[in-house]
Amino acid sequence: MSMQATFADFSVDPARLSNAVVGHDRAEFGGSHLTLNAGGTVTLDFEVADPEDIPEATLTVTALVSRLGSAPGHAPIDVLLQGEALAEDLTVPGGGDLPQDNVFAVPAALLKPGTNTLEIRASAEARSTLRLYRITLDSVDERGRSERALAARAARNSVFAFRTELRAAHAPSSTPWEAAPRLVFHLDRDEHSLPAQLGWRGVDGAESAISFQSNMSDFHGCHRAADGTAYEYRGRLTGGWAYPEGLEETSAAHLHRFITEEGWGGGWHASHELRLLVDDGGAPVERVTWRDQRGNSGVVVLQVPPAAAAAGAPGARSDDVEVTDVEASEEFEEGGETADNLLTGTRAKWLAFDDTASLRFTLARSATVTSYTLTSANDCPDRDPRDWTLHGSTDGRTWTRLDSRAGETFNGRYQAREFQLRAAPTAYRHYRLDITRNSGATETQLARVRFVEGPVGRAFTGYYQRDNEGPIGYRGTPVPAPGPAVVAIPAPLLAADLEVAVQSLTDTAQTLAALATRLREG
């Protein structure tokens, strides 16, 4: 082996390092990168055992220059090894939203036995910042070795959270991005490979498709809302955790765990457990597709309960919980726009003459609600709820906060939006929805409120395809919930053991009786 894997990954703090010691000046961690201001420097000290075994080295510096408003940024860099310039006054291409890989040939003559020093300098004339994501260095005959080692190190984490943004499709490049709900996902079939691409569709018809940077620091893709509106979609990594610890930080209630089988050779064969979680703040997923960094790919289609056939309740699902009573802090009785309309599934609505309101629901039985749906009413979008909190109670007196939302909007009339509970669910008989702000009107309204009961795990069907192989069948069933261990004892053996135990007790009793008689006679 002519050279150790050498890398510095600045997408996390502290940085991931291999065969490297990093120092910097006029630079700070920027959330998913190291930010160098004008005149800032980063040094990387690495070891080389025998440079005579290295014909040439390949250096890759992944970086991005921040924009100057709508114009490309300006932050030229110098790259030096042992003080000798590999590049001077280099403008990193792009100046856009995604990091660029800048590749340099390192002459073997610049390498020396022992400690070598690489330095990256941002120009003192820079007018924007340089965002440094990672550095890798390999012998030219082992190019990519450090990248693979870095991916393996990063693959120890499999639960990821991203801050996301949306922008309308085909909008001018000057159009600002708008904040979107956090994306959390975990996809693992025990192959220890990071995803390269991910796609998913919700039960409401919304769908997304994204592609990741190899170190998972960023993604870019597209999103189509339930109403058909298309958006650009991007995200920045805010956290990565190992399983299962990461679920405590994210969305444990959304996790699917499956016992899986692969179909090949005319039969089905046991495969690894699949763990799957995709939470984008919207409806539960019904389909997930992916390709990992090793080239393996798969598709999972979850079985979703069919619509219930209950007359008078269009759009109901078989996992809807029956609500027997609802009370409102305010309702328009004279116009027939009362809280009871929230339970019918018709186009009648509930209207309150206030910009805040409270609704209390009583279920037919205690239920473990994992999500709830609010449907906007027929008119006046400024009457839509915007901020609210959902509480649960076992007795209707003591309440526990289950979910809080702020700044929510409805894109159309009679739009049904499903909201997942963030915490692990508990069974409650009573639920209270406190609407603390609407969208600007002096009245508040809704057309329908539904509660959906877990469990979220359901069987799936799909396919799986390993790199350079053909597709095979793939299916799974939920991992059973843990319960007390039960050991089955065959009846004949149990009877025989009981007979032996009875005989032993009889013999012991006879021995004790004989001993007692001797003691009395003595």
Side-chain angles (χ1 to χ4, degrees):
M1 186 178 298
S2 58
M3 186 175 181
Q4 298 181 52
T6 301
F7 62 75
D9 174 18
F10 300 109
S11 66
V12 293
D13 187 23
R16 296 188 185 99
L17 303 173
S18 176
N19 187 34
V21 177
V22 169
H24 55 76
D25 180 52
R26 304 190 69 180
E28 62 275 338
F29 181 63
S32 62
H33 54 270
L34 193 67
T35 300
L36 275 71
N37 299 300
T41 62
V42 172
T43 59
L44 186 148
D45 292 335
F46 61 97
E47 301 297 317
V48 175
D50 188 359
E52 292 185 1
D53 293 336
I54 304 173
E56 188 179 60
T58 300
L59 169 67
T60 303
V61 177
T62 303
L64 169 69
V65 175
S66 63
R67 284 183 174 273
L68 291 170
S70 60
H74 178 73
I77 63 173
D78 296 337
V79 181
L80 305 98
L81 184 64
Q82 331 296 22
E84 297 288 335
L86 297 175
E88 294 182 300
D89 205 32
L90 171 70
T91 299
V92 175
D97 301 319
L98 295 176
Q100 303 285 330
D101 287 336
N102 303 274
V103 182
F104 306 91
V106 179
L110 289 182
L111 297 171
K112 64 179 184 179
T115 302
N116 292 252
T117 299
L118 173 74
E119 184 177 4
I120 297 174
R121 299 175 181 169
S123 171
E125 307 300 320
R127 297 192 298 275
S128 53
T129 60
L130 177 74
R131 299 172 181 175
L132 186 60
Y133 288 80
R134 64 184 178 275
I135 300 169
T136 63
L137 186 66
D138 296 294
S139 174
V140 70
D141 52 8
E142 292 184 311
R143 183 176 177 181
R145 182 168 179 266
S146 293
E147 188 74 34
R148 293 189 295 272
L150 174 56
R153 176 82 63 85
R156 297 174 187 174
N157 290 338
S158 59
V159 182
F160 298 95
F162 287 84
R163 180 182 69 250
T164 73
E165 295 176 309
L166 292 170
R167 183 169 68 182
H170 304 291
S173 58
S174 58
T175 302
W177 291 82
E178 296 185 1
R182 181 177 73 160
L183 171 66
V184 179
F185 78 90
H186 168 64
L187 195 157
D188 188 4
R189 39 173 277 137
D190 200 29
E191 291 180 328
H192 308 292
S193 180
L194 292 170
Q197 296 176 340
L198 183 70
W200 65 95
R201 175 185 170 90
V203 296
D204 61 352
E207 55 186 339
S208 303
I210 60 179
S211 184
F212 300 96
Q213 284 287 322
S214 59
N215 66 347
M216 304 300 295
S217 61
D218 303 78
F219 76 74
H220 201 98
C222 54
H223 171 76
R224 186 172 66 187
D227 65 359
T229 306
Y231 299 89
E232 290 184 78
Y233 189 33
R234 70 180 185 182
R236 291 282 172 87
L237 183 70
T238 58
W241 303 270
Y243 173 86
E245 290 81 7
L247 298 184
E248 299 174 1
E249 305 286 340
T250 53
S251 308
H254 301 244
L255 178 69
H256 299 264
R257 291 180 59 200
F258 298 103
I259 300 169
T260 70
E261 295 178 300
E262 296 180 358
W264 48 269
W268 289 94
H269 308 270
S271 185
H272 298 288
E273 177 181 306
L274 171 67
R275 294 190 301 270
L276 180 64
L277 180 156
V278 180
D279 176 16
D280 64 356
V285 296
E286 64 177 8
R287 184 181 70 219
V288 179
T289 66
W290 74 91
R291 184 175 65 82
D292 67 26
Q293 294 186 11
R294 296 180 182 175
N296 307 316
S297 59
V299 173
V300 162
V301 176
L302 282 74
Q303 295 180 4
V304 177
R317 291 191 343 213
S318 62
D319 50 0
D320 279 359
V321 184
E322 181 184 358
V323 180
T324 57
D325 185 55
V326 58
E327 299 177 2
S329 59
E330 167 70 23
E331 58 187 7
F332 183 27
E333 293 187 40
E334 294 81 0
E337 295 175 341
T338 60
D340 290 340
N341 293 333
L342 295 170
L343 311 181
T344 64
T346 65
R347 297 212 162 196
K349 70 182 180 185
W350 157 75
L351 175 66
F353 289 102
D354 201 343
D355 57 0
T356 65
S358 182
L359 296 164
R360 292 181 55 164
F361 301 86
T362 300
L363 309 187
R365 56 178 174 79
S366 295
T368 302
V369 170
T370 55
S371 68
Y372 61 100
T373 298
L374 306 183
T375 301
S376 60
N378 63 316
D379 60 2
C380 302
D382 54 353
R383 296 176 179 174
D384 293 342
R386 193 171 181 86
D387 299 352
W388 63 81
T389 300
L390 180 70
H391 302 267
S393 174
T394 56
D395 57 10
R397 294 186 297 274
T398 303
W399 297 91
T400 300
R401 187 176 69 177
L402 304 178
D403 190 44
S404 292
R405 304 283 170 159
E408 299 290 346
T409 58
F410 293 80
N411 294 327
R413 302 302 83 206
Y414 297 110
Q415 181 193 10
R417 293 194 58 200
E418 186 164 9
F419 302 92
Q420 298 287 316
L421 298 189
R422 302 297 185 186
T426 302
Y428 294 106
R429 178 78 185 278
H430 307 275
Y431 289 84
R432 189 182 82 221
L433 183 69
D434 292 334
I435 301 170
T436 53
R437 183 168 70 111
N438 66 11
S439 297
T442 56
E443 305 87 11
T444 303
Q445 64 184 22
L446 281 170
R448 192 174 181 199
V449 177
R450 292 170 36 225
F451 297 95
V452 179
E453 186 176 21
V456 297
R458 299 185 178 95
F460 77 82
T461 186
Y463 71 82
Y464 189 70
Q465 186 168 12
R466 292 178 175 83
D467 187 35
N468 291 325
E469 295 184 9
I472 57 176
Y474 193 39
R475 67 185 186 185
T477 54
V479 172
V486 178
V487 180
I489 303 176
L493 293 179
L494 179 61
D497 289 342
L498 288 174
E499 290 175 0
V500 170
V502 169
Q503 184 61 50
S504 176
L505 290 173
T506 301
D507 292 343
T508 301
Q510 291 174 348
T511 300
L512 290 174
L515 179 60
T517 300
R518 289 178 184 177
L519 290 174
R520 286 195 299 269
E521 291 176 351

